[in-house]
Amino acid sequence: MQQDWKALGNYGTLGMEIALSIVVGLFGGQWLDKKLHTGGVLTWVGFAYGLAAVGRAIYRAMRKSNLEAEAHEQREREARQKYDDDAKDR
C-alpha cells in the first residue's frame, strides 16, 4: 500500500509539472517581450522552451515507469521460480 501512495505522488505531480512548464515559458516570454519590445518573438521562444520541458518531463516519467515495471516483473519471475523449485522438492 505504501508503494502505491508513493507512485501516486511521483506521477501525480506530472500534470502540475506540465502545466507549470508551459505557463512559466509562455509568461516569461511575454514578460521579456514587454521589457525588450521584441513584438512577440520571445513569447514563442518561451512557449517552445516550455514545450521542450514538458517533453523532457514526460520522457523521464515514462523511463521511470518502465524501470519500475521491469523490476516488478523480475521480482515476480523470481517468486515464481522459487515456488516451482519448492514444489519440485516436495
Side-chain angles (χ1 to χ4, degrees):
M1 187 64 158
Q2 179 74 17
Q3 190 175 10
D4 293 337
W5 284 106
K6 183 179 178 185
L8 181 64
N10 288 337
Y11 299 116
T13 60
L14 182 61
M16 187 169 50
E17 188 174 352
I18 288 171
L20 285 175
S21 295
I22 291 174
V23 167
V24 168
L26 185 65
F27 287 131
Q30 286 179 341
W31 181 78
L32 284 173
D33 273 336
K34 290 177 186 174
K35 290 286 184 187
L36 302 174
H37 306 289
T38 54
V41 173
L42 294 178
T43 299
W44 286 105
V45 171
F47 182 69
Y49 273 109
L51 287 178
V54 166
R56 181 175 175 258
I58 291 172
Y59 172 76
R60 282 187 330 208
M62 286 177 40
R63 187 169 169 218
K64 184 176 181 179
S65 175
N66 287 339
L67 289 174
E68 288 175 357
E70 288 173 7
H72 182 69
E73 288 176 11
Q74 180 65 28
R75 286 191 304 270
E76 283 184 349
R77 259 186 258 122
E78 290 170 358
R80 255 185 267 123
Q81 184 65 38
K82 184 178 184 308
Y83 178 80
D84 291 343
D85 290 346
D86 289 344
K88 287 180 187 176
D89 292 339
R90 290 184 210 166

